[in-house]
Each structure stands twice: as structure tokens, then as C-alpha cells.
Amino acid sequence: MYRVEVVQATLVTPELLHNLVELSQAIPEFDNAYPVAEYQTRLSDKPMLALFIKVEGEVAGFKLGYELGNGQFYSWLGGILPEFRGLGLAKQLLLVQESWAREQGYHQIEVKTLNRFASMLKMLISNQYQITSLKQDTDNNSLNKISLQKSLLV
């Protein structure tokens, strides 16, 4: 069994931004990783949560979200490095994020993903996320953007 640790941050710092950009650049699916300015714009001046998951002390992935308002939390980005996949780490991050959001008083989590990320879609749906909309890409169905939500009310 591996030693797994989840580290959370709720304050935007230069170090946090650097770590997020560096980690997202190492995840192959993020072929157009966001620049640090996008992270600053989305995360500044609002409640946010960054989760990092470590396996045997080595960072293996992350999950990042922020407040949308009206009791909604937006799960913006997340990913697991390829060498750590298949260990259930993404689901563990999902559950920690949900628990934190519930404790903070949010009543709903929203997330968007692309049709091409089948494992992400399966994980979300199997954890009671419901599809709320689809933005179709007329040239490539794998790029259809799917919005999902989950109620956090018990």
C-alpha cells in the first residue's frame, strides 16, 4: 500500500501559482496549458481551493476550484500524472474537494469536461454528477464540452 497525502491551499501565492503551472504542463491532456496570468485572474479575489495529492512524498496530481457565487463552487482543473494513474487518486481528490466545499457552505459543484476525457466523465457520473448542458463542436465530437453539476445538500 502506498502512503498517500492530500495537501490543500486556500491562499494564492506566487509559489502556488508556479506549482500549478508546472504540474499542469506535465499532464499530457493539457496540451495548451494555461499561463500563470489565467490562474491569477480566475483565483484572485475569491475563495479557492487547490489540492495536491502526493504518493510516497512525490506530487502525483492536483485539483483546483473556486467560488462562482450563489452557493456554487466551480471545479476548474485537475489531473493525475500518467505514472500515478490507476490508483484512485482522482476520485480521492474529488471526494476531498466535495467535502471541503460542503463544509464551506456551498450547495453545488459545477465542472466542465470534454467528451474525449471518458475516464473523467465516468468518474463524475459514477459520483452522482449530472449532465446539465452540452456545447457541441461541429468539427470534432471529441471536443464537445460537457457541463455537469452535483448537489452537495445532504
Side-chain angles (χ1 to χ4, degrees), residues 30-149:
F30 295 160
D31 39 18
N32 292 315
Y34 291 107
V36 70
E38 183 68 21
Y39 287 89
Q40 289 171 318
T41 299
R42 288 190 186 235
L43 302 177
S44 295
D45 302 324
K46 63 180 69 90
M48 57 77 65
L49 175 67
L51 298 172
F52 297 92
I53 194 158
K54 296 180 177 182
V55 176
E56 298 295 330
E58 189 176 344
V59 176
F62 76 105
K63 191 150 188 69
L64 177 64
Y66 55 86
E67 180 178 282
L68 285 176
N70 297 325
Q72 290 189 313
F73 190 80
Y74 181 55
S75 182
W76 176 36
L77 286 176
I80 303 296
L81 295 171
E83 59 269 30
F84 293 100
R85 292 180 183 173
L87 300 175
L89 303 178
K91 182 173 180 177
Q92 191 171 344
L93 287 174
L94 178 83
L95 296 175
V96 170
Q97 184 184 63
E98 287 176 7
S99 178
W100 180 89
R102 192 176 289 110
E103 289 168 9
Q104 302 306 307
Y106 295 102
H107 60 79
Q108 191 170 68
I109 290 188
E110 181 179 325
V111 64
K112 295 177 183 171
T113 189
L114 297 177
N115 207 25
R116 69 183 176 131
F117 300 136
S119 60
M120 177 72 163
L121 277 168
K122 288 177 192 174
M123 180 184 69
L124 291 168
I125 291 168
S126 71
N127 283 280
Q128 290 76 49
Y129 284 76
Q130 296 184 341
I131 295 172
T132 56
S133 69
L134 172 74
K135 183 177 179 184
Q136 189 170 9
D137 184 301
T138 56
D139 295 328
N140 185 346
N141 282 335
S142 72
L143 298 178
N144 289 349
K145 186 176 268 190
I146 302 166
S147 297
L148 301 99
Q149 290 180 345

